[in-house]
């Protein structure tokens, strides 16, 4: 009992302390917006936005597949869990959860990244595209069509990640030949071994000249 | 993952201040190493200072050197025209590491600070002096196939996993770091350290310091440079052994040689003796073989990594042959 009490107290202190800091910092930031450069300079030492304290959620704004989302998240929430569990966008898959398989690949500001190794809070104000955001209405993205045409999957679990990665691979200019495609798609593991057909699908889209 | 406080810094000063008064605070950049380790409870900072908005992404030519900001992404550096033209060795090394997605997140500073991939470090149920000083080294008598053959200690035989750092040490880079008292410059070779009896310390960066940039002095190595990496699969795996080789040539004669090895030590392993042996020699497989022998002097294997004693010199020779255009 005693032990319980003594651990609880510092926690409370910590959080009220930090809330004060948050208010302080927020008012400094407001001050910067309206103040002359000297004030901003004085505040520079403190120009860290204190976003949250442990055990608190924080407002996070993301644009997901073109739609603005306002969320309240714990800082430790990964982008992957946020997409799947808060936004019900379950197209993005959790394969390993440790950066080793590529199943969770999404685009952030147009670049392919691993959503499992990314904290959602780090993407404040950024644009996220998932597999659900690729098709235009009923019309599939050319890469989606090419995967179907070339049988670029069997079980399909790695496929959303493969397709997001493939679209980016062409945009980056890393799909100029088969060797390049294999190298720059190596971050997407396929347990079913659909690799040769995935390469064919990417080559077709690349040669079809459509880049996005 | 435990809960933590999160703070976003917009300037170097704010970032460094964010670490003050908190021994358990860490910077987060790409997150590709730190988030992984936090999920596994290997690292458990109580506060993260997000440095992604600190403007340190520039790659620029300065007087006699190229400066790369600590927050430049690994992919951005690898594809940058200045780097491709002047330091292709660095581009090659970066592209040999991780995957396209990870390189789009990973930063130069984070890459230097990444922890070892030793399985005993990763498994909190097993002993590891690096994770928990004094608990013992599980790898010493355990599964040590991926481990070091140079500069080991009784306390730790882990390797530093970075590819980028192998190229940077060969290119005589310097690291610029900033702390509460201002900036200092550290030669790349002195940034990472050997385990000795403090394996918990990977490098000489202080707890309250931040990496600001890396500088590479101009050189004449760009035409004859090669990064050769051997791994368990063709891509997306850490090095068993890798070698960065670069030569300045006068026709067939070597004027200056740079050699560094990855996957073999607790730090990027520069092969200075072997470099000296190459200066003034005419390129040939025989010359390279002799240099490789010199490079391997003092190597010591453990139960499962003796193959590195054979693989090492072969990779050195292949890297040099590629650099010299002999293949
Ligand atoms: C599946 C997988 C495979 C990989 N394969 C390879 C490979 O083959 N070769 C290879 O080289 N790497 C490989 N990596 C590792 C990868 O390169 C690193 O995870 C990455 O470079 C870390 O950079 P980051 O910006 O994401 O760092 P973070 O994870 O954000 O940070 C890592 C550490 O650096 C500190 N830090 C970050 N920036 C600074 C700074 N400016 N100043 C001071 N401290 C700082 C942080 O506090 C933290 O402790 C692989 C990773 C994964 C997940
Ligand atoms: S789930 Fe992210 S890489 Fe496997
Ligand atoms: S289709 Fe089954 S894992 Fe790729």
């Amino acid at each position: 009992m005693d032990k319980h009490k003594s651990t609880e107290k510092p926690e409370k202190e910590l959080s009220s302390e930090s809330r004060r800091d948050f208010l302080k910092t927020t008012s400094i930031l407001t001050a910067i917006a309206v103040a002359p450069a000297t004030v901003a300079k004085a505040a520079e030492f403190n120009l860290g936005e204190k976003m949250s304290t442990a055990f608190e959620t924080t407002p996070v704004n993301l644009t997901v597949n073109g739609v603005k989302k306002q969320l309240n998240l714990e800082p430790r929430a990964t982008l992957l869990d946020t997409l799947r569990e808060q936004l019900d966008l379950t197209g993005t898959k959790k394969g390993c959860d440790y950066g080793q398989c590529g199943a969770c690949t999404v685009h952030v500001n147009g670049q392919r990244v691993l959503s499992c190794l990314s904290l959602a809070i780090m993407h404040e104000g950024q644009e996220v595209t998932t597999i659900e955001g690729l098709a235009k209405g009923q019309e599939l993205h050319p890469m989606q069509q090419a995967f179907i045409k070339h049988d670029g999957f069997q079980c399909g679990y790695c496929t959303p990640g493969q397709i997001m990665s493939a679209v980016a691979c062409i945009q980056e200019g890393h799909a100029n030949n088969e060797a390049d495609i294999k190298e720059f798609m190596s971050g997407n593991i396929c347990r079913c071994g659909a690799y040769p057909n995935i390469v064919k699908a990417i080559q077709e889209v690349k040669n079809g000249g459509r880049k996005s | 993952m435990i809960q933590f406080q999160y703070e976003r810094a917009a300037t170097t000063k704010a970032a460094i201040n964010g670490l003050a008064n908190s021994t358990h605070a860490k910077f987060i950049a790409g997150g590709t190493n730190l988030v992984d380790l936090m999920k596994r409870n290997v690292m458990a900072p109580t506060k993260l200072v997000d440095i992604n908005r600190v403007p340190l992404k520039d790659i620029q030519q300065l007087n006699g050197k190229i400066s790369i900001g600590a927050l430049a992404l690994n992919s951005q550096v690898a594809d940058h025209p200045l780097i491709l033209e002047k330091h292709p060795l660095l581009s090659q090394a970066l592209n040999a590491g991780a995957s396209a997605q990870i390189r789009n997140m990973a930063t130069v500073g984070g890459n230097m600070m990444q922890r070892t991939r030793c399985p005993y470090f990763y498994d909190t149920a097993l002993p590891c002096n690096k994770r928990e000083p004094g608990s013992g080294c599980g790898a010493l008598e355990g599964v040590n196939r991926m481990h070091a053959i140079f500069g080991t200690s009784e306390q730790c035989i882990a390797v530093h996993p970075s590819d980028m750092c192998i190229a940077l040490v060969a290119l005589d880079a310097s690291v610029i770091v900033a702390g509460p008292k201002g900036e200092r410059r550290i030669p790349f070779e002195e940034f990472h350290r050997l385990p000795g009896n403090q394996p918990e310390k990977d490098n000489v960066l202080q707890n309250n310091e931040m990496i600001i940039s890396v500088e590479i002095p101009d050189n004449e190595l760009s035409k004859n440079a090669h990064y050769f990496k051997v791994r368990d699969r063709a891509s997306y795996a850490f090095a068993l052994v890798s070698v960065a080789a670069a030569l300045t040539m006068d026709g067939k004669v070597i004027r200056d040689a740079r050699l560094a090895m990855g996957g073999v030590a607790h730090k990027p392993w520069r092969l200075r003796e072997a470099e000296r042996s190459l200066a003034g020699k005419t390129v040939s497989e025989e010359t390279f073989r002799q240099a490789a022998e010199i490079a391997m002097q003092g190597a010591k294997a453990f139960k499962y990594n003796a193959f590195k004693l054979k693989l090492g010199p072969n990779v050195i020779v292949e890297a040099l042959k590629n650099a010299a255009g002999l293949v």
Side-chain angles (χ1 to χ4, degrees), chain B residues 221 246-248 254-259 270 274-275 278-279 320:
Chain B
L221 301 159
L247 305 168
T248 307
I254 299 167
R255 264 207 288 134
D256 181 22
R258 305 289 180 81
L259 274 178
R270 181 92 182 249
E275 289 175 4
L278 287 168
L320 281 167

Side-chain angles (χ1 to χ4, degrees), chain A residues 153-159 190-192:
Chain A
F153 51 85
Q154 279 184 45
C155 77
Y157 198 82
C158 72
T159 313
C190 175
R191 267 324 191 39
C192 301

Side-chain angles (χ1 to χ4, degrees), chain A residues 45 47-52 74 76 97-100 105 112 114 116 121-122 124 165 183 186 188, chain B residues 1 3 5-8 14 17 29 32 36 39-40 53 79 99-105 235-236:
Chain A
F45 284 96
L47 192 55
E49 285 176 77
K50 212 151 270 178
M51 300 309 298
S52 82
E74 285 183 354
R76 63 179 173 174
D97 210 21
Y98 293 108
Q100 300 178 351
T105 304
R112 54 173 156 163
L114 298 179
C116 72
I121 197 170
M122 291 164 66
E124 168 66 32
S165 202
E183 177 58 47
S186 71
N188 292 84
Chain B
M1 199 190 302
Q3 300 268 24
Q5 188 183 327
Y6 173 86
E7 199 172 297
R8 203 176 280 143
N17 277 349
T32 60
D36 182 13
K39 283 184 177 182
R40 302 174 196 261
R53 306 210 176 181
D79 283 347
S99 69
Q101 291 95 313
I102 293 171
R103 295 191 296 270
N104 272 345
M105 307 165 77
S235 183
Y236 199 18

Side-chain angles (χ1 to χ4, degrees), chain A residues 99, chain B residues 27 29-34 98 107 111 113-114 162-163 211 229 238:
Chain B
F27 293 137
T32 60
N33 191 226
L34 190 53
T107 62
N111 192 314
M113 296 295 290
Q114 65 174 301
S162 168
D163 291 295
I211 302 169
K229 180 177 178 182
F238 287 93

Side-chain angles (χ1 to χ4, degrees), chain B residues 245-325:
Chain B
L247 305 168
T248 307
M249 311 268 288
D250 247 342
K252 293 267 167 216
V253 179
I254 299 167
R255 264 207 288 134
D256 181 22
R258 305 289 180 81
L259 274 178
M261 225 172 173
V264 294
H266 195 261
K267 60 185 284 186
W269 196 246
R270 181 92 182 249
L271 306 171
R272 293 214 182 248
E273 292 288 316
E275 289 175 4
R276 273 192 281 276
S277 81
L278 287 168
K281 299 258 170 66
T282 304
V283 295
S284 74
E285 179 151 355
E286 185 49 34
T287 309
F288 294 158
R289 188 59 62 189
Q290 284 162 5
E293 231 165 76
I294 294 172
M296 295 305 291
Q297 278 167 13
K300 171 180 166 242
F302 297 86
K303 186 167 178 193
Y304 294 105
N305 69 354
F307 72 95
K308 288 191 181 182
L309 299 180
K310 262 195 175 166
L311 184 61
N314 288 342
V315 180
I316 294 174
V317 172
E318 282 311 304
L320 281 167
K321 277 166 68 181
N322 276 282

Side-chain angles (χ1 to χ4, degrees), chain A residues 64-66 89 128-137 141 144 164:
Chain A
V64 181
N65 298 330
L89 292 168
V128 180
T129 308
T130 70
I131 189 75
E132 289 92 343
L134 226 45
K136 290 204 177 89
H141 186 281
Q144 292 173 307
M164 295 313 287

Side-chain angles (χ1 to χ4, degrees), chain B residues 89-164:
Chain B
L89 186 67
L90 178 56
S91 279
Q92 290 174 28
L94 280 163
N95 278 333
S99 69
Q101 291 95 313
I102 293 171
R103 295 191 296 270
N104 272 345
M105 307 165 77
T107 62
V108 168
N111 192 314
M112 290 169 59
M113 296 295 290
Q114 65 174 301
R115 311 298 310 268
T116 184
R117 311 300 287 205
C118 172
Y120 297 90
F121 176 72
Y122 262 76
D123 190 336
T124 53
L126 298 174
C128 169
N129 286 325
K130 186 181 275 302
R131 178 170 34 75
E132 208 183 313
S135 63
C137 171
L140 204 57
E141 309 262 297
V143 180
N144 45 32
R145 181 169 173 274
M146 298 298 286
H147 291 72
I149 52 173
F150 290 112
T152 54
S153 77
E154 286 292 304
Q155 315 286 320
C156 180
I157 61 171
V159 299
H160 192 270
S162 168
D163 291 295
M164 177 192 84

